[in-house]
Amino acid sequence: MRKPILALILALISFQVAQSQSASIRGIVTDTVEKKLLFNGAVVLLRKTDSVMVCFRRSAANGEFVLPNLPAGKFLLMVSFPAYADYLDEIELKDSASSLDLGRVMMTLKSQLLQAVVVSGTQAIRLKGDTTEFKADSFKVQANASVEDLLKKLPGIQVDKNGKITAQGEAVQKVLVDGEEFFGDDPTLVTKNLRADMVDKVQVYDKKSDQAAFTGIDDGQKTKTINVKLKEDKKNGYFGKLSAGAGTDGYHDSQLLFNRFRKKMKIAAYGILSNTGTAGLGWQDQNNYGGGNGMMTADANGNIIGQDDLSGWDGNYSGQGYPLVQTGGLHYNNKWDGDKKSINLNYKILQLFVNGNSTTNSEFILPDASASYYQNQHQGFKNQILRNKMDGVFETQFDSATSLKVTLGGTLIHKITQGTSATQSLLVMDSTQINNALGHTSTDGDNNSFNGEFLFKKKLKKKGRTLSVDFSPNYNTSRSTGYLFSQNNYFTHGAPSLSQVTDQYKTSTGSIFSLNTKATYTEPISVSSSLIASYGIQVNNSAADKTSFNKSQQGKYDSVDNKYSSDYSLNTFTQKPGLYYSLVKKKFRVYAGSDVGFSGFKQRDLLADTLGTRHFTNYYPSAFLTYNIASQNSIWLNYNGSTTQPTLQQIQPVGNNDDPLNIAVGNAALKPSFQNNFRLNYYFFKALSNKNLWSGINYNFTDNAISTNSYVDSIGRKITQAVNVNGNYSISANINYGFKWKKPDINFNLSSNISKNRYLSYVNSLLNTTNSGDYTLGLFAGKFKEKKIDISFQASVTYTNSKSSIQSSGSVHYWSYNLNPNADFFLPLALQIHSDLNYTFRQ
């Protein structure tokens, strides 16, 4: 009787243990280079504390493995396969119900590993598939250094004076913290404000599009990305940074950053008060601090028809004038429910004042040399913008095959501008005056926008078969009022012949509602190839009402000027099917296909009570080929083509008297243009010898390119019309080679850039061909010795030339030079001396 009872107790205990250990780990063992699935690979899970084996499995014929019934805890996962380097990774299961999917476990051939990189015992540089990973502590930086200082020490990465990052020959568009965006679209808030000693690893990779990451089919859409992984002990607690500086003539710069990290939750805040133009106003100011252009309406391509802002200021600081910025922001992100749900929220407020002036002296070269003239213009401006922006991303994983991503954002902008101008035109031949003008403009306007995106993704039963639906609504409104005053005087043979005075009050309102939807379906047709089919609908409804009032004899602006008033509505409907083919083989990848857009629009002039309709077809072919010579040694070729329809402003310009010396006329016969772009790139990276080469050639040519036909009338006004031309092209090439001189421990980087352009236009009805080029050589050298010195020297020389066919004797060619030395000396008592110079010289 006791034996059956004992057996029952043991069975209950085994059942309870099995129930309490229901966690699992799964993955697919695959080759790094050939992308083939590895069968019968040894997968071992070891307990981290004492290296005792917890579970052992072999990978199946499709490379898959599952380690079931695991307890919670920290483990070491080791995967072995003949002729391949062992894969080792740390794994943590938070609870006994965790289900961890590692995806593809990438194995590297030992022969390939020795050719491209040897990982030292400290693992300073590690290659994980297409990701290059740097161990932060292996690269020495000075005390209290920032992430930006750390990036400057990493092979293949350059950071310029504005904080713009180039990695592996490409501009970095995103900087993430633990895989998440930090303050959204401003990477400098990571690189300049987080401390280097907080960083565990820096990962450099090409971030795939959401669609490619979901389907596993590379569509060629990539964003060069840096992910900063923080040390575990730095993810809990408070830390911050406070800096303040002042100089002569009232210049000052103050910055504050506060962070509260707790496991996967991050809360951060920042504030900047500066008038130096260097605090957050360099890299990507268009996204970070922009939003200035108020729209009136848009055509079928989404092009803005006109501005409601007389000054044309886009709301950014472009390096011209005296800036005062007062800005701050809040950030929150978190993950929960076993990382199945996540949220990322950002709020920013900016007040920017920019005051200044500029002087421009131009020479207009005409076919008749006696008619060529100089134009001297002096402008003054006083601008300010207040912007509030909020955005958020919420993601939820319903199950292993279904997810939803919701992105919402909104921006409120208030902008005030004032501008003055004085212009004078003189004949080159004898300095006879042609015309002169005085002007003053002022505007006060609001520009508000809301945007959203809902992305639903579903993996179907058959492996590789997926369905995703993208739904994106956007709504924008603008409103502005302003005054325009100008006095224009014209001369004939130096004697006054005509004088025009414009004194108007202008109002402008506009709105755009757009809705983009797209469904994408992928179907595997073999082990290595797939078809990607998509269908999208785009709706774009816009309206613009612009009214100009002349000043009456009573001194009031109550007389409508119909010539410079307009009231347009434009409704566009586009259907966009697409089909692409993807092939992944042993050494190469191929992706090719095209979208086709069938569009129609209705344009209504409410003042003239007319209706115009138009239908057209746009093509968007795309293809790329990637060939992997070895690990971290690849060559790839890309092609993209696109159709551009003429804008409504080019076909039928809205009346505009903001600049009476420059007048635009329409061209109803204008044809669409088609752009072709080819890009060839090659790179290799050898971590052991610290050598890297990044090179590329880009060629672009356009059929029926939309150019200009301009002529100067008898009183010196420039009349411009859009026309089609053939023969425009641009070609550029770049080579960037980096290496280390070991004995003196100096890092070098040599660069070369070549750019040639050909542009056709008409000047006074004569075809003019302009050929121009830029040729640049650059050198960087740097040496760092911990607690002693950190010095670098950067120099470049550029030769520029430009030649016009209508005046070949008036060719332009000159040299320009740039020198940028930096030096830091570290003294006792934590003292530091810093010196830098930025010197530019041009003929």
Side-chain angles (χ1 to χ4, degrees):
M1 184 68 181
R2 291 181 180 179
K3 289 184 179 181
I5 294 176
L6 181 60
L8 179 61
I9 293 174
L10 291 175
L12 289 173
I13 293 174
S14 300
F15 177 78
Q16 183 63 33
V17 170
Q19 289 296 309
S20 63
Q21 297 184 359
S22 59
S24 64
I25 299 173
R26 65 177 61 247
I28 302 174
V29 183
T30 183
D31 173 77
T32 303
V33 177
E34 300 180 1
K35 310 300 179 187
K36 64 182 181 181
L37 304 175
L38 301 181
F39 166 61
N40 214 26
V43 183
V44 183
L45 189 68
L46 307 175
R47 200 160 55 200
K48 185 178 179 181
T49 54
D50 52 15
S51 298
V52 172
M53 187 176 71
V54 178
C55 189
F56 172 81
R57 288 290 189 277
R58 292 278 185 180
S59 58
N62 59 0
E64 292 185 358
F65 67 86
V66 179
L67 306 179
N69 302 326
L70 302 175
K74 295 183 178 181
F75 305 93
L76 296 175
L77 177 71
M78 185 170 68
V79 183
S80 300
F81 198 84
Y84 285 79
D86 290 343
Y87 176 92
L88 186 66
D89 200 3
E90 294 185 8
I91 301 292
E92 182 178 3
L93 298 175
K94 298 293 185 180
D95 53 64
S96 59
S98 298
S99 180
L100 183 60
D101 190 344
L102 300 177
R104 293 180 176 268
V105 176
M106 310 297 287
M107 304 291 288
T108 303
L109 282 167
K110 292 179 181 179
S111 58
Q112 297 292 337
L113 190 64
L114 291 174
Q115 287 179 15
V117 60
V118 174
V119 182
S120 65
T122 58
Q123 294 186 332
I125 303 174
R126 184 180 182 187
L127 305 179
K128 299 173 68 176
D130 295 330
T131 299
T132 304
E133 185 177 87
F134 301 92
K135 185 71 174 176
D137 290 342
S138 300
F139 300 88
K140 301 301 181 182
V141 294
Q142 55 186 282
N144 300 315
S146 66
V147 170
E148 180 177 285
D149 298 321
L150 172 63
L151 294 179
K152 293 178 180 179
K153 303 296 181 183
L154 305 183
I157 298 179
Q158 296 86 39
V159 185
D160 71 8
K161 62 181 180 180
N162 296 320
K164 183 177 180 180
I165 307 169
T166 302
Q168 301 171 348
E170 297 182 59
V172 174
Q173 301 297 324
K174 286 184 176 292
V175 178
L176 310 178
V177 177
D178 288 333
E180 302 289 337
E181 289 194 355
F182 193 72
F183 282 109
D185 55 8
D186 192 355
T188 57
L189 286 170
V190 177
T191 60
K192 290 182 178 294
N193 293 291
L194 291 185
R195 298 197 316 270
D197 60 9
M198 299 176 59
V199 180
D200 179 28
K201 300 171 184 175
V202 175
Q203 298 173 326
V204 182
Y205 59 97
D206 290 315
K207 188 177 187 298
K208 298 179 181 179
S209 65
D210 286 344
Q211 182 67 29
F214 167 61
T215 62
I217 300 173
D218 193 346
D219 58 7
Q221 300 181 29
K222 296 180 180 180
T223 303
K224 184 63 72 175
T225 301
I226 288 179
N227 181 37
V228 178
K229 295 192 70 173
L230 303 180
K231 297 175 181 177
E232 288 298 325
D233 60 347
K234 300 296 183 181
K235 295 181 182 180
N236 291 284
Y238 304 86
F239 67 92
K241 175 184 177 181
L242 173 64
S243 65
T248 59
D249 300 323
Y251 286 102
H252 59 86
D253 183 276
S254 302
Q255 302 182 47
L256 170 68
L257 181 76
F258 170 80
N259 296 273
R260 169 72 169 103
F261 288 3
R262 183 181 178 185
K263 296 182 179 179
K264 295 182 180 180
M265 181 190 72
K266 296 182 179 67
I267 300 175
Y270 77 92
I272 298 174
L273 176 62
S274 174
N275 63 1
T276 65
T278 59
L281 290 176
W283 184 24
Q284 292 191 349
D285 6 355
Q286 181 69 33
N287 293 326
N288 303 334
Y289 297 126
N293 278 354
M295 83 293 293
M296 287 178 59
T297 186
D299 65 10
N301 302 307
N303 296 305
I304 303 303
I305 291 177
Q307 292 180 324
D308 64 347
D309 186 345
L310 296 174
S311 71
W313 184 52
D314 61 5
N316 300 298
Y317 174 64
S318 59
Q320 183 182 78
Y322 178 91
L324 172 62
V325 63
Q326 301 166 341
T327 181
L330 298 171
H331 168 80
Y332 173 82
N333 75 65
N334 198 6
K335 292 182 177 181
W336 68 96
D337 192 17
D339 292 350
K340 293 180 180 178
K341 294 180 175 63
S342 66
I343 191 169
N344 189 306
L345 300 174
N346 298 285
Y347 169 73
K348 297 178 183 178
I349 183 171
L350 164 89
Q351 188 162 30
L352 173 65
F353 302 84
V354 183
N355 303 330
N357 57 76
S358 66
T359 298
T360 304
N361 302 316
S362 306
E363 179 180 355
F364 290 84
I365 302 172
L366 302 179
D368 181 0
S370 64
S372 298
Y373 66 97
Y374 294 116
Q375 187 175 84
N376 306 317
Q377 186 178 57
H378 180 81
Q379 293 180 315
F381 51 89
K382 188 176 181 181
N383 303 324
Q384 67 180 83
I385 185 172
L386 174 64
R387 190 188 82 164
N388 288 271
K389 181 180 180 182
M390 187 170 185
D391 58 76
V393 179
F394 172 75
E395 292 188 71
T396 180
Q397 190 83 25
F398 298 110
D399 53 45
S400 59
T402 312
S403 66
L404 175 67
K405 180 180 180 180
V406 179
T407 304
L408 299 174
T411 305
L412 304 177
I413 293 175
H414 182 69
K415 187 171 65 171
I416 300 174
T417 69
Q418 295 183 33
T420 59
S421 65
T423 305
Q424 184 183 46
S425 300
L426 307 170
L427 285 175
V428 172
M429 183 174 58
D430 55 10
S431 296
T432 300
Q433 188 166 206
I434 303 173
N435 57 54
N436 62 51
L438 295 174
H440 179 268
T441 61
S442 63
T443 61
D444 188 320
D446 295 285
N447 189 337
N448 304 324
S449 63
F450 167 81
N451 57 81
E453 182 181 18
F454 302 83
L455 178 60
F456 175 80
K457 298 178 292 187
K458 175 71 175 180
K459 292 182 179 179
L460 304 178
K461 289 185 177 181
K462 184 178 180 180
K463 186 177 180 181
R465 181 181 291 170
T466 66
L467 175 67
S468 62
V469 179
D470 196 337
F471 176 81
S472 302
N474 296 275
Y475 183 65
N476 299 268
T477 63
S478 66
R479 177 209 63 83
S480 73
T481 59
Y483 293 89
L484 167 66
F485 176 85
S486 66
Q487 180 175 349
N488 300 271
N489 302 309
Y490 303 93
F491 301 83
T492 301
H493 304 298
S497 59
L498 177 66
S499 181
Q500 293 179 333
V501 175
T502 302
D503 189 359
Q504 292 185 335
Y505 172 71
K506 295 177 179 287
T507 64
S508 178
T509 59
S511 64
I512 296 178
F513 172 75
S514 64
L515 179 64
N516 296 331
T517 62
K518 184 177 182 179
T520 304
Y521 174 79
T522 65
E523 177 67 26
I525 55 179
S526 71
V527 176
S528 57
S529 61
S530 301
L531 286 177
I532 305 96
S534 64
Y535 177 76
I537 293 177
Q538 299 175 349
V539 177
N540 193 317
N541 295 334
S542 55
D545 183 0
K546 180 179 179 180
T547 308
S548 298
F549 298 89
N550 290 315
K551 197 173 187 178
S552 65
Q553 294 181 351
Q554 290 75 27
K556 297 182 179 180
Y557 295 95
D558 54 8
S559 175
V560 176
D561 188 338
N562 290 323
K563 182 178 180 181
Y564 297 108
S565 299
S566 59
D567 190 358
Y568 283 97
S569 67
L570 179 65
N571 297 333
T572 307
F573 181 80
T574 301
Q575 300 183 73
K576 199 172 183 180
L579 183 65
Y580 291 84
Y581 172 75
S582 172
L583 175 66
V584 179
K585 281 295 187 180
K586 184 176 181 180
K587 286 278 189 177
F588 63 88
R589 300 178 184 180
V590 176
Y591 183 87
S594 179
D595 286 346
V596 182
F598 303 98
S599 300
F601 74 63
K602 294 182 179 180
Q603 172 198 333
R604 185 179 297 276
D605 185 341
L606 299 177
L607 290 183
D609 194 22
T610 60
L611 175 65
T613 60
R614 189 175 175 203
H615 299 274
F616 49 86
T617 302
N618 290 338
Y619 297 93
Y620 307 91
S622 177
F624 76 87
L625 168 65
T626 302
Y627 181 74
N628 296 315
I629 302 170
S631 179
Q632 296 292 294
N633 188 355
S634 296
I635 185 170
W636 65 96
L637 175 66
N638 288 67
Y639 166 76
N640 288 287
S642 61
T643 304
T644 300
Q645 294 293 329
T647 67
L648 179 61
Q649 184 74 359
Q650 293 167 334
I651 296 173
Q652 182 181 345
V654 176
N656 190 332
N657 59 348
D658 297 350
D659 187 359
L661 297 181
N662 292 279
I663 301 172
V665 296
N667 182 0
L670 204 60
K671 300 176 183 178
S673 65
F674 189 84
Q675 296 83 32
N676 300 272
N677 182 268
F678 295 88
R679 184 179 180 186
L680 177 65
N681 291 87
Y682 169 75
Y683 85 96
F684 74 76
F685 179 63
K686 296 182 178 181
L688 180 63
S689 57
N690 205 7
K691 293 180 180 180
N692 57 85
L693 174 69
W694 315 94
S695 60
I697 299 175
N698 193 77
Y699 177 60
N700 180 287
F701 68 94
T702 305
D703 296 321
N704 285 325
I706 298 176
S707 184
T708 59
N709 177 19
S710 61
Y711 64 93
V712 178
D713 64 12
S714 59
I715 56 177
R717 295 180 303 181
K718 185 179 180 182
I719 317 298
T720 303
Q721 182 186 46
V723 295
N724 292 111
V725 297
N726 281 307
N728 284 5
Y729 75 85
S730 65
I731 183 169
S732 61
N734 68 281
I735 298 176
N736 192 300
Y737 178 65
F739 64 96
K740 187 172 185 176
W741 189 3
K742 292 185 178 180
K743 193 170 184 179
D745 193 26
I746 300 177
N747 289 306
F748 286 93
N749 194 83
L750 305 176
S751 61
S752 174
N753 295 277
I754 299 174
S755 175
K756 291 181 66 66
N757 300 277
R758 185 186 186 196
Y759 179 76
L760 279 70
S761 62
Y762 287 89
V763 179
N764 283 13
S765 300
L766 182 66
L767 181 63
N768 178 45
T769 302
T770 301
N771 292 293
S772 61
D774 286 285
Y775 312 87
T776 301
L777 291 174
L779 167 68
F780 171 85
K783 179 178 176 62
F784 174 77
K785 195 168 184 179
E786 190 174 6
K787 298 182 180 180
K788 291 188 177 182
I789 60 170
D790 186 358
I791 58 176
S792 66
F793 175 78
Q794 190 167 0
S796 66
V797 56
T798 300
Y799 175 74
T800 301
N801 68 344
S802 178
K803 190 173 183 178
S804 169
S805 64
I806 63 172
Q807 284 286 350
S808 57
S809 60
S811 62
V812 176
H813 52 91
Y814 59 88
W815 292 86
S816 56
Y817 310 87
N818 184 270
L819 302 176
N820 182 214
N822 285 271
D824 286 276
F825 302 93
F826 306 100
L827 306 176
L829 304 178
L831 296 177
Q832 177 182 341
I833 298 175
H834 171 81
S835 178
D836 63 72
L837 171 69
N838 189 13
Y839 178 77
T840 301
F841 171 76
R842 188 177 73 180
Q843 286 181 299

